[in-house]
Amino acid sequence: MKVRNLLIPVLAAGALAACNDYDPGLSDTVMDNTEDELATISAYTHNFVGRYGAMGAEQDWGFSELEEAQQTRYADPNANMWATPYGYLMPPAISEAERKAVVKAFRVYANSISHEAPDCTDFFIQDVYKGGRDYASIGTLSTGEVITQDTYRYTAADGVTTHLSSDKLSQIYCVKADGTLDEVNRNNFNKNASEDCEYNHAMLMRESGIKGFTYHNSASGGLIQAKETYIFLNISWNEDGVMKYGTYVGIDFFANGQNANEQVAGDGKFDDWIFKVTPAIESGTGNNSAAGKPTVSPDDTPADPNRLTSETKRVMCEDLGSTYDFDFNDLVFDVYYTYNEENGVKSNITAHVTVQAAGGTLPVYVGKDSDEYEAHKLLNSSATNTAINVGGLRKDVAYVTLENCESTDPNDIAIYVDKGGRHMALPKSKAGNSYAPQKICVPQEVQWPKEGQQIEWGYGDFTHWVSGTVNEFWGQNVNREYLFVF
C-alpha cells in the first residue's frame, strides 16, 4: 500500500538542477511513502518525543523564506580597474572576515593535499596574510587557537637560532607552463602605474602561469622551489549573509641552507604567507581581446545589478537510517539564493548549495533524485556508506546550483534517501506537523555534531528549542567537544 503524493518530477539541464514543485509534506497523509517507511517515521517521532519532550505547536524548525542579504555577492562593475588599457576589473580588497576565514582554513588543513590551481594566464595576485606581520589581525580563531607572533617563529636545526618567517620570506615568483619564473613583485606590470599596482595589494600577471610558485627565503640565502612548501586551497566563507569564494596559495616556512642555523623543516601549516589568485575578468573596455582570455565571474554568470541575494542558512538533516539517532549530520548543507524581485514577487530563483557533510551511511541526494546529486559522491567519495566530515574522513565541500526554484525557503529543497533501493523524500519540517523533523534550518555558523554524538550533547538548549521555550539552541550552553570543526 502507498499513500498518494503531489510530487512533480524535477527537471535538470547539464550540471544544473531545477528545484521547483517539490512537495512531499503537505500533510501527514500526502506523502509518497510505503507503510514500512511511514512506520519508520512514526518510530523516529516516538523516539524523538521520548527524548526531547513535546514539540512546540509553533515550532517551524527554523525554516522560512530567506531574507535579502545586506550586500550583493557580485562585484560592482563600476569598481576601480587595474591597468585600464588592458580592460580588467580590479578585484575587491581583502576583508577582515575573508582574512580570518582563510587563515583558519590553512591552519586546519595542515599537511593537506593541494587543490588544483586556476587554469589561466592573466590573473591577479593579492597579498592576503603574512603571519609574523599580520598575526594581530587574527587574534583567536573560531577553533579556539590563539594566534600570536610566536606562532610564526621557528627554531632552526641547531636548536638555538630562531627565524620569524615574515622577516625572511620575500619575492614571490609564478612558475609558467614552460618552467620559467615570473616575479610577482617587479616584472610584468605597468611600471608607470605604481598606485594602481599597489591598490588592494594586488598585482596583475599577464601571459604568465600558475604551474607553481617559488619564493625567496633569506634564511636559506636563495630561492625555495620545493612543491611541498606550498598548497592551493579553494575556500568559502560567509560575510554579512553572503557566501563568497576564492582560491588561495599558502606557504609553509622552510629553509634549506648549508648550515644548521639556516635549516628549518616547517610545521606543515601553510599560513606563513598567503596569496589570493583571481582570474582576470574583463570590464568590457580597453584593448584586451576576449579571444583566449578568461571571462569567468564569481558565479559563472554575468553581474546583474537588478539581481538580489539572500542570506545564507545551514540545513542539518537526519536520513532515518536509525530511528534513535539525532546527530543531525547525515547531510549538512549551506544555501543562499539569487533572484529577481518586482512588486514583492520573486522570480528566476536560483539556490546555491554548499554540501558540507554527509555523515550518514545511506545514499542521500540533494535537490534532485539523480545519481550526480548524491552527497557522498559530490564530496568526492566513491563509497556512499562512508561518513564524511563528521570525524575521520575529511573531504572538500562541494557546490550544487539548483535553478527555477519556487521559493527562497530551504525547506523546499528536495532531499531523497535511498532506503533499500527505494528513494524516499524526506518530509518537510513545518509547524503543526505530528511527525518529528528530519531536517532543521540554522544560522551558517552553527556547527554540526560529530558522528555518534547526539545533538543535545553539543547544544544543551536543544530540548528547550524543541518545546519552543527558547528561540535558539546555539547561543549558550554549547559544548564544542561534541561538535565537528573543519
Side-chain angles (χ1 to χ4, degrees):
M1 173 183 174
K2 294 182 181 179
V3 182
R4 181 172 174 77
N5 77 349
L6 297 180
L7 180 62
I8 299 175
V10 176
L11 302 177
L16 302 178
C19 61
N20 56 313
D21 298 322
Y22 163 64
D23 204 351
L26 287 175
S27 72
D28 289 326
T29 58
V30 188
M31 297 182 296
D32 185 13
N33 294 111
T34 65
E35 288 183 337
D36 287 343
E37 291 167 350
L38 290 174
T40 299
I41 293 173
S42 178
Y44 173 88
T45 299
H46 175 79
N47 294 334
F48 185 93
V49 173
R51 189 177 189 93
Y52 302 115
M55 299 176 287
E58 302 300 321
Q59 179 56 271
D60 58 12
W61 311 109
F63 288 101
S64 65
E65 294 253 351
L66 299 191
E67 296 180 1
E68 181 185 350
Q70 296 179 6
Q71 301 178 17
T72 173
R73 75 188 301 264
Y74 295 114
D76 179 3
N78 296 316
N80 290 320
M81 299 179 187
W82 156 257
T84 311
Y86 298 129
Y88 286 130
L89 288 173
M90 191 69 192
I94 305 298
S95 69
E96 288 302 310
E98 178 179 2
R99 182 175 292 110
K100 288 183 178 181
V102 169
V103 172
K104 173 187 173 183
F106 276 101
R107 296 295 295 176
V108 171
Y109 277 83
N111 298 306
S112 175
I113 297 175
S114 180
H115 294 168
E116 292 186 4
D119 183 15
C120 55
T121 58
D122 292 11
F123 53 91
F124 288 94
I125 297 289
Q126 284 176 280
D127 187 354
V128 176
Y129 179 77
K130 207 171 190 179
R133 177 193 67 194
D134 302 323
Y135 67 93
S137 66
I138 302 301
T140 302
L141 294 172
S142 60
T143 58
E145 182 182 14
V146 179
I147 302 299
T148 69
Q149 192 173 59
D150 287 339
T151 304
Y152 304 97
R153 198 178 301 278
Y154 294 80
T155 301
D158 64 0
V160 177
T161 306
T162 61
H163 299 284
L164 184 63
S165 62
S166 59
D167 291 343
K168 304 296 182 179
L169 300 177
S170 62
Q171 295 176 250
I172 294 290
Y173 296 80
C174 295
V175 182
K176 301 172 72 171
D178 60 5
T180 59
L181 302 183
D182 199 3
E183 187 178 355
V184 175
N185 289 357
R186 299 173 186 169
N187 297 337
N188 215 20
F189 299 105
N190 180 349
K191 294 181 174 59
N192 294 323
S194 58
E195 286 189 8
D196 286 342
C197 199
E198 297 295 333
Y199 181 78
N200 291 349
H201 299 281
M203 302 288 184
L204 174 67
M205 306 301 292
R206 295 191 68 248
E207 299 179 3
S208 186
I210 321 178
K211 183 179 180 181
F213 276 91
T214 295
Y215 58 93
H216 186 274
N217 185 341
S218 60
S220 297
L223 293 178
I224 302 295
Q225 301 192 53
K227 287 187 176 180
E228 61 268 21
T229 64
Y230 68 87
I231 63 172
F232 285 93
L233 285 183
N234 300 318
I235 299 170
S236 63
W237 74 100
N238 181 276
E239 189 168 344
D240 296 327
V242 179
M243 199 69 180
K244 299 185 178 181
Y245 309 90
T247 298
Y248 305 83
V249 58
I251 294 172
D252 181 23
F253 184 76
F254 171 85
N256 59 353
Q258 293 184 349
N259 302 315
N261 66 342
E262 300 172 320
Q263 299 169 1
V264 176
D267 63 358
K269 297 185 177 181
F270 298 83
D271 63 328
D272 287 291
W273 204 359
I274 302 174
F275 292 89
K276 185 175 185 178
V277 180
T278 305
I281 301 173
E282 296 177 5
S283 66
T285 62
N287 301 323
N288 190 40
S289 169
K293 301 296 182 181
T295 57
V296 180
S297 75
D299 197 34
D300 290 336
T301 54
D304 180 353
N306 297 316
R307 196 144 174 84
L308 303 177
T309 302
S310 78
E311 60 184 328
T312 301
K313 285 295 184 76
R314 174 162 291 167
V315 179
M316 298 160 54
C317 306
E318 280 294 327
D319 64 5
L320 296 180
S322 167
T323 62
Y324 206 80
D325 173 29
F326 306 109
D327 50 21
F328 284 92
N329 68 7
D330 295 334
L331 171 66
V332 181
F333 64 90
D334 299 340
V335 60
Y336 72 91
Y337 296 85
T338 52
Y339 56 94
N340 296 97
E341 185 173 4
E342 185 174 357
N343 298 323
V345 178
K346 297 174 183 175
S347 61
N348 302 322
I349 302 172
T350 299
H352 305 267
V353 174
T354 303
V355 180
Q356 296 281 356
T361 55
L362 295 176
V364 58
Y365 306 83
V366 185
K368 180 175 171 59
D369 189 8
S370 180
D371 191 59
E372 62 266 32
Y373 294 93
E374 201 286 316
H376 299 79
K377 294 180 179 179
L378 286 169
L379 293 171
N380 199 29
S381 173
S382 59
T384 59
N385 62 349
T386 301
I388 301 172
N389 293 342
V390 292
L393 181 62
R394 290 174 180 251
K395 292 285 188 177
D396 298 329
V397 301
Y399 306 105
V400 176
T401 302
L402 306 172
E403 294 190 325
N404 302 320
C405 298
E406 287 297 316
S407 77
T408 60
D409 185 348
N411 213 3
D412 292 334
I413 294 177
I415 307 299
Y416 301 93
V417 179
D418 187 337
K419 301 279 290 182
R422 174 177 164 77
H423 289 197
M424 167 187 172
L426 291 186
K428 294 183 182 180
S429 299
K430 302 190 296 183
N433 281 352
S434 63
Y435 49 83
Q438 281 92 63
K439 52 185 177 180
I440 59 176
C441 187
V442 297
Q444 189 187 25
E445 63 268 19
V446 176
Q447 298 164 262
W448 57 92
K450 299 175 183 175
E451 185 56 29
Q453 312 302 312
Q454 304 289 4
I455 191 169
E456 76 273 14
W457 297 353
Y459 295 103
D461 285 341
F462 183 77
T463 299
H464 302 302
W465 185 68
V466 169
S467 67
T469 56
V470 298
N471 292 326
E472 61 181 51
F473 63 82
W474 49 84
Q476 300 180 15
N477 300 323
V478 178
N479 189 337
R480 300 194 184 281
E481 176 185 353
Y482 299 104
L483 305 178
F484 179 82
V485 179
F486 258 119

